[in-house]
Amino acid sequence: MSYKPEVDLNHNVVSPHHRYGCYDKPQSRETAIEVQHGWTTGGRRATHMHQTRWLDIGCGHSYRETDPSCRGCKWRDA
């Protein structure tokens, strides 16, 4: 499959020099996320922070081999 980077998911034109936010950044092993933890007495969601551990993968982008925005990224062949 090939990837056409003319527009992003919001239908904005992508420049030929576009890079994703993951480009060459160190991988994060843990992330804090806010999750629902029951309900309050007033009927609203009760939440708390939860540490989550991510799988050890280099890159999850399905088209990284053909996407020009991934060219030169250290995660491209990981």
Side-chain angles (χ1 to χ4, degrees):
M1 289 187 217
S2 64
Y3 181 80
K4 293 185 175 185
E6 289 91 17
V7 294
D8 64 12
L9 296 176
N10 295 317
H11 305 288
N12 296 317
V13 175
V14 176
S15 82
H17 305 291
H18 173 261
R19 295 284 182 214
Y20 297 112
C22 58
Y23 187 83
D24 281 352
K25 286 188 178 178
Q27 288 181 307
S28 174
R29 298 276 184 226
E30 290 188 4
T31 304
I33 59 173
E34 189 174 13
V35 296
Q36 184 175 348
H37 186 67
W39 300 91
T40 66
T41 55
R44 294 178 183 253
R45 292 182 205 178
T47 61
H48 76 279
M49 295 305 288
H50 176 74
Q51 289 292 116
T52 186
R53 184 163 172 82
W54 297 98
L55 295 175
D56 294 331
I57 62 169
C59 178
H61 183 20
S62 300
Y63 302 105
R64 65 182 177 265
E65 291 84 12
T66 57
D67 187 343
S69 296
C70 296
R71 191 175 301 129
C73 179
K74 67 181 177 182
W75 303 118
R76 183 175 182 177
D77 297 320

